[in-house]
Amino acid sequence: MIYLRREVMEMIECQNVSVMYNNEVEALKKVSLTIMGPTITGIIGPNGSGKSTLLKAILGMTRSTGKISINGVSSKKMLKKIAYVAQKNLIDLSFPITVRECVALGTLPNLGLFKSVRKEDWRRVERALEVIGLRKEQERQIGALSGGQFQRVLIARCLVQDADYLFLDEPFVGIDMVSENIIIKILKDLKKRGKTILIVHHDLSKVEDYFDQLVMLNNKIIAVGATSNVFNMQNLKRAYGENIFIDRSE
Amino acid sequence: MLAEFIQGLMEFHFLQNALITAIVVGTVSGVVGCFIILRGMSLMGDAISHAVLPGVAIAYILNINFFIGAIAFGILSAVIITYIKENSVIKSDTAIGITFSSFLALGIILIGFARTSTDLFHILFGNILAVQDSDKWITIAVAIFVVLAIVLYFKELLLTTFDPQMAKALGTRVNFYHYMLMTLLTLVAVTAMQSVGTILIVALLITPAATAYLFTKTLKTMIFLSAGIGAAVSVVGLFIGYSYNVAVGSSIVLTATVVFLVSFFVSPKQKYIKRRGHDG
């Protein structure tokens, strides 16, 4: 596959972003960061550290204070340029929808009201299914897929959406190595095409292989920057506590 | 028996009205019901169908069209339930239970004040054999409106039902579609009030949809099948009710239940028989 590299620099900026839940739990405390693209950035931190909340705050899905911008424009005006995949356990797998239709949902942001999916969109859907290696399964109901295959379907939906930014919340949870490798390969290809990718991630063993940059959180920023600079024992202990252990055996 | 029913259809205008209304109400309930069960809102459907009762009573008192009162109270109940759920620690089923029982109680008292010839029993349990021409035409108009709204907003309803997180991330007004569906549900509840009555509307909404769900793998086919089942059980229920002189509303509901039960055991999606075999 030949990709044209985009030379435009993408940038996500958060300034003093705070999020409160139920007026008592502060999920994010004055988070300030800049993420330059095209890159693959991992958001890591212990459970409840505000990783998913950060994505949701950028997307305007949760009420936040502070300033969030993408390329200098308020993030709320850039939503159609962002493809978001929530944790897959939030989706009802018994829903009556086929693989093909699920991927075609990626075309909706670019379709007008009362317009239906066009022929050329269906061709894009088929190409995306080809890329994730599930073209043969396109007529199957999504519940007939494995967890890994379904995650690949959600990635295919992002490909069809053709957004400049991809936000993925825990995409590697509960999936097989084959699917994980296919997904990471696709994401690295997308980065070459100029996409900026943010991934909420919890498995520390793969961090150095997968991410160019890291945002390390524990409700506040512990560290932000290139993975080689951020991913060290000192920062990890500040985020996770003294008993941190990284299994790199796989 | 069937010949007698057909003969009755030829002769009696009230039976013709009943048949047309039954088919229309069964079809439109089947369509809306698909979204209700897929959104896990069956109880909400129950609540709204009960909550329209005070609206109907007030409409009679004020001598205005009962659709207006019913829609106002249907939406009001949806707003109250959603507000309680989102702004307190009270769970959705509790909010629904409190709201629909109080609306129903209020409705029963108000119907007493309404001094209408409309019998409370008929509002609660339906009286399709007494449907007037005007009611039939209103039902048809409402059904066309509801189906048209669903066709026009199909992709938005699909997205907000299947993946509300993605919809929110795209800036889609998820709440708008929630309340739009509640409005359509209220409209259907009012039309179905004539055939199965307030108490049993929820059955016509969810049983055909649940049956269709057992056999389909796309939302479009589920909607078509559900509408077909809704219409078919309404006709069969009308036939049974008319022929054996039993309550038509209850006959429709029980026919739908029988179809569901048979489907439950034979559906390939349910795999009940297969799983039982493995377990055994």
Side-chain angles (χ1 to χ4, degrees):
Chain A
M1 213 176 288
I2 301 165
Y3 297 125
L4 291 174
R5 190 191 167 100
R6 289 181 4 162
E7 294 303 329
V8 180
M9 206 54 146
E10 309 286 359
M11 187 168 75
I12 299 170
E13 230 179 340
C14 297
Q15 287 173 24
N16 291 320
V17 173
S18 297
V19 175
M20 289 277 279
Y21 284 134
N22 299 326
N23 288 328
E24 49 188 50
V25 182
E26 206 169 8
L28 290 177
K29 295 175 196 168
K30 295 196 170 178
V31 166
S32 294
L33 56 88
T34 303
I35 295 166
M36 303 300 288
T39 48
I40 302 180
T41 302
I43 304 173
I44 62 168
N47 290 341
S49 59
K51 305 186 291 290
S52 301
T53 305
L54 178 61
L55 287 190
K56 286 181 181 172
I58 299 172
L59 288 162
M61 291 168 71
T62 189
R63 207 171 287 168
S64 63
T65 57
K67 197 179 161 198
I68 303 171
S69 64
I70 295 178
N71 289 349
V73 179
S74 165
S75 62
K76 285 176 187 164
K77 290 180 181 164
M78 300 285 281
L79 295 179
K80 286 191 175 174
K81 291 187 178 294
I82 305 171
Y84 171 64
V85 176
Q87 290 175 24
K88 68 178 185 300
N89 59 6
L90 295 174
I91 290 177
D92 173 14
L93 289 176
S94 63
F95 194 95
I97 189 168
T98 60
V99 166
R100 189 170 175 266
E101 289 175 322
C102 184
V103 174
L105 289 176
T107 64
L108 298 193
N110 300 315
L111 282 182
L113 206 62
F114 310 144
K115 297 270 170 61
S116 54
V117 181
R118 299 157 298 194
K119 265 186 187 171
E120 61 261 35
D121 296 325
W122 285 116
R123 281 196 288 274
R124 278 168 50 218
V125 168
E126 291 199 356
R127 278 201 296 275
L129 284 166
E130 196 84 62
V131 172
I132 60 156
L134 289 175
R135 193 165 173 186
K136 280 185 188 162
E137 283 79 3
Q138 62 175 319
E139 293 301 337
R140 288 169 80 174
Q141 194 263 336
I142 53 164
L145 302 179
S146 70
Q149 285 176 323
F150 182 60
Q151 192 66 56
R152 277 147 66 187
V153 168
L154 296 178
I155 299 294
R157 196 173 72 182
C158 294
L159 296 178
V160 169
Q161 194 175 333
D162 197 27
D164 293 334
Y165 299 86
L166 267 74
F167 290 6
L168 311 176
D169 197 344
E170 300 273 17
F172 305 120
V173 168
I175 71 169
D176 53 277
M177 276 313 294
V178 175
S179 291
E180 186 163 337
N181 289 336
I182 291 173
I183 290 170
I184 202 71
K185 185 179 172 301
I186 293 169
L187 296 178
K188 285 181 176 174
D189 284 343
L190 286 171
K191 186 188 81 173
K192 282 184 198 159
R193 288 166 62 185
K195 312 288 184 188
T196 301
I197 302 160
L198 259 70
I199 301 176
V200 170
H201 189 70
H202 79 281
D203 177 9
L204 297 178
S205 65
K206 298 285 171 59
V207 164
E208 288 157 307
D209 302 329
Y210 289 175
F211 305 119
D212 309 313
Q213 301 182 110
L214 280 184
V215 175
M216 201 180 286
L217 278 177
N218 194 352
N219 302 118
K220 57 184 188 201
I221 289 285
I222 302 294
V224 186
T227 303
S228 52
N229 295 336
V230 171
F231 198 66
N232 56 49
M233 249 331 158
Q234 193 189 349
N235 284 335
L236 286 166
K237 282 182 178 173
R238 283 174 59 210
Y240 291 84
E242 287 297 320
N243 296 323
I244 181 80
F245 169 74
I246 302 167
D247 180 8
R248 290 191 171 97
S249 54
E250 275 186 55
Chain B
M1 199 70 78
L2 185 62
E4 226 171 84
F5 180 68
I6 293 169
Q7 183 67 30
L9 276 176
M10 307 277 202
E11 278 178 32
F12 305 124
H13 188 62
F14 78 89
L15 197 55
Q16 292 162 7
N17 275 355
L19 181 74
I20 293 168
T21 309
I23 292 172
V24 172
V25 169
T27 306
V28 74
S29 303
V31 172
V32 173
C34 290
F35 290 98
I36 301 303
I37 71 159
L38 290 172
R39 287 174 174 243
M41 285 168 42
S42 301
L43 270 177
M44 188 73 138
D46 201 19
I48 288 181
S49 54
H50 288 67
V52 299
L53 194 60
V56 173
I58 289 172
Y60 279 126
I61 292 168
L62 299 176
N63 202 21
I64 55 172
N65 191 303
F66 72 97
F67 264 90
I68 298 168
I71 289 167
F73 273 77
I75 301 293
L76 180 66
S77 69
V79 170
I80 292 173
I81 292 165
T82 311
Y83 182 83
I84 295 175
K85 193 182 90 180
E86 288 181 0
N87 295 285
S88 76
V89 289
I90 302 290
K91 286 185 182 158
S92 163
D93 58 337
T94 312
I96 287 170
I98 293 168
T99 311
F100 96 74
S101 53
S102 25
F103 273 58
L104 186 61
L106 178 67
I108 290 169
I109 290 172
L110 287 175
I111 286 282
F113 286 118
R115 285 187 198 152
T116 164
S117 54
T118 306
D119 191 338
L120 176 63
F121 184 83
H122 287 156
I123 292 177
L124 293 177
F125 298 102
N127 186 16
I128 201 164
L129 295 173
V131 167
Q132 303 294 310
D133 279 347
S134 58
D135 296 336
K136 179 186 73 182
W137 289 116
I138 289 175
T139 302
I140 291 171
V142 168
I144 290 171
F145 175 78
V146 170
V147 172
L148 207 60
I150 287 180
V151 170
L152 288 175
Y153 290 98
F154 180 77
K155 64 179 195 297
E156 287 78 11
L157 287 169
L158 168 64
L159 179 64
T160 52
T161 306
F162 172 61
D163 192 349
Q165 296 291 317
M166 179 189 175
K168 276 183 201 167
L170 288 170
T172 307
R173 292 169 298 160
V174 175
N175 269 346
F176 168 79
Y177 292 102
H178 171 77
Y179 285 113
M180 178 183 140
L181 208 54
M182 293 302 100
T183 309
L184 299 181
L185 175 60
T186 307
L187 288 171
V188 172
V190 180
T191 55
M193 201 166 71
Q194 298 167 101
S195 59
V196 291
T198 302
I199 301 283
L200 297 175
I201 288 168
V202 69
L204 206 48
L205 278 166
I206 65 173
T207 316
T211 309
Y213 180 64
L214 293 172
F215 292 99
T216 50
K217 62 176 185 178
T218 75
L219 181 55
K220 274 183 191 162
T221 48
M222 181 182 168
I223 289 172
F224 279 112
L225 186 58
S226 174
I229 293 170
V233 297
S234 296
V235 173
V236 174
L238 174 65
F239 163 70
I240 294 169
Y242 176 78
S243 304
Y244 295 95
N245 198 25
V246 292
V248 175
S250 303
S251 303
I252 292 173
V253 171
L254 288 179
T255 307
T257 310
V258 170
V259 174
F260 173 77
L261 282 176
V262 173
S263 305
F264 181 81
F265 290 108
V266 301
S267 148
K269 202 171 170 185
Q270 178 67 19
K271 291 178 185 151
Y272 179 82
I273 295 168
K274 208 172 162 186
R275 196 154 57 224
R276 289 273 295 177
H278 282 304
D279 291 347

